[in-house]
Amino acid sequence: MLRLHQSSPSTSSSSSSSEKNLMEQKQSSALLHHRRLYQEQTNSWHNQDTRHVDLLSAVDLSHHFPYHSIPKPEWQCNSSSLINREKRKAQFDMEENSENIVEAEEEKSEITAKTEMETSGNTCSKESSKVSEVQKPDYIHVRARRGQATDSHSLAERARREKISKKMKCLQDLVPGCNKVTGKAGMLDEIINYVQSLQKQVEFLSMKLATVNPRLDFNVDDIFAKEIPAYISSLQAAQFEATCLHYNTMQQGTSNCGGDISLDQSQMLPHNKAENALLDPSFISQLQQLSGWESDWPSLFNAGFH
Amino acid sequence: MTDHKNHQIPTAKPSSIKTRFAIKFLRAMNKLNNKNKNNKNTMSEKHKRFLAIRAAAHASMASAVGPRRAWSRAVLRKIPNQQKQLHYSLMNKQRTRRRNIRRNRILLITRGNPNRENYDHEENEDEDEEEEDLRELVPGGKEMDFCRLLNETAHYIKCLRTQVQVMTNILHHSSPSNILYK
């Protein structure tokens, strides 16, 4: 995934691809071989190198600006020519802005690199114009957004977060009553409640089937299979309402079902209540022991399943 | 694979999950009923029947979905039916192993250990608790990363819904002959 993000918009020459390979190698062994990093940084500047250097500086010294904390080894290693130094200085100024962003992000989460979109958004507002120029030098072919760091860890994190938010939106469509709640935690709560109520519904229905059909024969499988989808929406809504009354799990669900329920419900509910009354004393105690899907698989199961 | 249709449309395709589940579940119910010809109707018998029916519902749902989903694979693994396990394992052994190796490598590179410590305790604690709860609810959820967990949850919710629909309809069909309604 790292490679995808870094190489897809690129028109990579051989040198840049070799640099990318260098970058990836460094990530895997960065903290252990920081000496090598110092030397390699002189040859080519990347945001990742400075990020690793940031980590070291943060760990070793304090939360200084990175280049301030590591002037000596860099200039010492770079004893070769003045040209390099001038180039480095020019790049130094340009890099300052992006480094601020990187460091701000790094300060929040040192090792786990769970950077927040908001910090990048805040820094984006400060230094938007400058950063947009800096973010796209010639040999870093990373499609980064304005004001956001381009090191691969935060890229990966950002991609992962986007994936998760996309899927949360899909789940939002599935779960009724999720439109009011926003944010990850509330959504997860709703989803968990919904799954639990669905599972309890299944158990309730199987319990009903157990008591209600001791003698019936379902010989005509195919006819059933075709007729079944025809009796769907009103029954489901009515049953759902019944189970909500019975279990009191989905408080929001009842308010949703109240809008959906058709006229059949008024006839269905008294029947359900009658059945519930009959079933209650016998099975309530057993129901309370029920948990999710992992509750016991009895040996009787072999009898039921082929 | 045709997924289960929107429940407002009353027709179902012949090979949808709904019909597959319905057929399997009905067959299971038939077997159960045929086995339990002597009608004791005591409390323990009822409880046993209930457990068997619930297990049959889960298993027929999982087998209707097939081994394509992680949660259905987890459910199928729990079935003490050796033939099914053998068949499934022969089909998918290599594929799943390769996929798991690849997935673990990706996990290590991008996120490190899936169960790593989070330094930002305040924000992540609530989410982690709920994530744990979700992992317990969805079968097979303990070994997935969060993205995959959300995928599986979405599919699991759809399948649970079809399960509920089919079972209510079965009840409705069988209920007119039931004494309780009179």
Side-chain angles (χ1 to χ4, degrees):
Chain A
M1 219 179 80
L2 298 173
R3 281 193 192 153
L4 266 178
H5 273 276
Q6 291 170 4
S7 64
S8 55
S10 71
T11 60
S12 55
S13 55
S14 59
S15 61
S16 61
S17 61
S18 65
E19 284 167 357
K20 271 174 231 155
N21 288 333
L22 274 179
M23 280 163 18
E24 282 153 16
Q25 282 173 12
K26 278 169 220 158
Q27 280 162 24
S28 57
S29 60
L31 292 176
L32 299 175
H33 304 286
H34 56 275
R35 292 269 172 202
R36 190 158 53 106
L37 279 181
Y38 275 88
Q39 288 174 6
E40 281 169 347
Q41 194 186 6
T42 62
N43 298 330
S44 62
W45 69 276
H46 296 280
N47 286 338
Q48 287 147 353
D49 293 349
T50 55
R51 190 189 78 91
H52 293 304
V53 166
D54 288 346
L55 282 177
L56 294 167
S57 65
V59 168
D60 298 337
L61 308 169
S62 61
H63 288 285
H64 286 314
F65 186 79
Y67 272 18
H68 289 313
S69 59
I70 320 146
K72 276 186 187 175
E74 187 187 348
W75 302 130
Q76 276 175 4
C77 291
N78 192 20
S79 58
S80 53
S81 65
L82 281 174
I83 300 172
N84 278 338
R85 283 197 185 183
E86 283 171 16
K87 210 199 288 179
R88 185 80 17 72
K89 273 190 181 173
Q91 291 168 354
F92 174 85
D93 292 329
M94 286 203 311
E95 208 185 331
E96 236 182 80
N97 301 324
S98 59
E99 278 317 304
N100 271 332
I101 298 152
V102 172
E103 210 194 40
E105 290 195 39
E106 289 308 320
E107 280 181 18
K108 290 241 172 182
S109 62
E110 287 182 4
I111 299 178
T112 62
K114 245 194 184 180
T115 56
E116 292 287 322
M117 296 282 276
E118 291 140 11
T119 58
S120 56
N122 286 337
T123 55
C124 174
S125 58
K126 289 179 205 166
E127 298 160 321
S128 54
S129 56
K130 282 184 192 172
V131 166
S132 61
E133 296 166 12
V134 172
Q135 290 290 325
K136 291 162 192 173
D138 280 340
Y139 46 89
I140 293 187
H141 301 284
V142 176
R143 188 171 293 153
R145 290 190 219 147
R146 288 177 101 180
Q148 291 177 356
T150 60
D151 55 327
S152 58
H153 273 266
S154 55
L155 268 180
E157 272 298 318
R158 205 179 308 134
R160 177 181 159 261
R161 255 183 280 125
E162 284 170 8
K163 235 176 153 187
I164 286 182
S165 62
K166 224 197 317 177
K167 284 171 193 171
M168 296 287 278
K169 278 180 197 165
C170 291
L171 277 172
Q172 219 174 11
D173 298 332
L174 273 181
V175 178
C178 253
N179 305 322
K180 303 157 192 170
V181 190
T182 50
K184 210 164 143 186
M187 276 283 304
L188 278 177
D189 246 346
E190 285 295 318
I191 292 168
I192 287 172
N193 281 337
Y194 189 59
V195 170
Q196 272 174 344
S197 71
L198 279 178
Q199 282 174 346
K200 287 193 177 160
Q201 256 187 297
V202 168
E203 285 170 3
F204 179 64
L205 286 171
S206 62
M207 189 183 66
K208 268 199 181 177
L209 278 172
T211 56
V212 162
N213 306 322
R215 283 175 231 116
L216 282 181
D217 228 1
F218 300 101
N219 272 329
V220 201
D221 292 354
D222 294 343
I223 296 184
F224 262 119
K226 280 168 193 170
E227 281 181 345
I228 277 168
Y231 294 85
I232 297 170
S233 54
S234 61
L235 275 177
Q236 191 211 4
Q239 276 290 340
F240 196 48
E241 179 72 22
T243 53
C244 289
L245 292 171
H246 192 75
Y247 286 100
N248 294 329
T249 43
M250 287 257 299
Q251 289 105 3
Q252 293 101 351
T254 52
S255 58
N256 280 332
C257 277
D260 293 343
I261 285 178
S262 56
L263 294 172
D264 290 341
Q265 186 227 348
S266 54
Q267 298 164 3
M268 283 294 293
L269 262 185
H271 294 299
N272 287 331
K273 275 183 182 167
E275 284 182 353
N276 290 347
L278 282 168
L279 294 170
D280 274 351
S282 45
F283 282 107
I284 272 289
S285 56
Q286 286 155 354
L287 277 179
Q288 283 165 1
Q289 296 165 16
L290 296 174
S291 55
W293 69 284
E294 281 182 357
S295 38
D296 47 355
W297 293 90
S299 58
L300 283 175
F301 176 72
N302 273 325
F305 190 68
H306 60 96
Chain B
M1 182 187 91
T2 58
D3 225 337
H4 97 95
K5 301 208 50 143
N6 188 354
H7 64 271
Q8 289 168 359
I9 304 173
T11 56
K13 291 181 190 169
S15 66
S16 68
I17 288 184
K18 192 180 286 185
T19 48
R20 288 204 303 261
F21 165 67
I23 290 172
K24 291 191 191 233
F25 186 58
L26 287 172
R27 280 197 204 136
M29 291 282 290
N30 261 337
K31 275 201 175 182
L32 265 181
N33 287 336
N34 291 334
K35 261 217 168 185
N36 196 15
K37 282 293 185 182
N38 43 353
N39 209 1
K40 294 178 189 174
N41 253 354
T42 55
M43 216 40 60
S44 61
E45 284 294 319
K46 276 186 188 173
H47 185 56
K48 281 181 191 171
R49 267 196 98 233
F50 154 65
L51 290 176
I53 288 181
R54 188 181 62 182
H58 283 303
S60 45
M61 191 72 233
S63 88
V65 168
R68 207 168 304 145
R69 283 274 165 180
W71 69 264
S72 64
R73 283 197 295 268
V75 173
L76 285 173
R77 249 179 261 140
K78 280 232 164 185
I79 300 176
N81 189 346
Q82 288 179 358
Q83 283 181 359
K84 283 271 174 180
Q85 277 181 342
L86 277 176
H87 179 63
Y88 146 73
S89 65
L90 281 174
M91 272 201 325
N92 288 327
K93 216 195 305 186
Q94 279 185 346
R95 212 197 312 163
T96 50
R97 204 185 295 148
R98 262 187 255 132
R99 212 189 301 145
N100 283 336
I101 291 172
R102 215 186 309 143
R103 196 179 305 137
N104 288 336
R105 216 184 292 146
I106 291 174
L107 275 179
L108 283 174
I109 290 175
T110 59
R111 300 205 310 127
N113 189 5
N115 300 323
R116 68 181 194 272
E117 267 182 49
N118 283 324
Y119 279 77
D120 211 357
H121 280 294
E122 288 178 6
E123 285 178 13
N124 293 331
E125 244 181 27
D126 299 335
E127 291 177 4
D128 281 345
E129 281 178 14
E130 285 160 16
E131 197 179 312
E132 288 292 319
D133 291 339
L134 194 58
R135 282 180 197 269
E136 282 171 26
L137 279 181
V138 176
K142 290 181 186 168
E143 293 126 11
M144 297 186 235
D145 54 335
F146 195 55
C147 283
R148 201 123 193 278
L149 182 68
L150 292 179
N151 266 342
E152 299 291 323
T153 309
H155 193 259
Y156 188 55
I157 286 177
K158 278 191 212 168
C159 293
L160 277 179
R161 259 203 229 149
T162 54
Q163 213 175 0
V164 166
Q165 285 173 12
V166 169
M167 287 170 80
T168 46
N169 293 323
I170 292 175
L171 256 184
H172 179 74
H173 275 282
S174 59
S175 58
S177 57
N178 191 5
I179 309 171
L180 291 171
Y181 263 102
K182 292 178 187 174

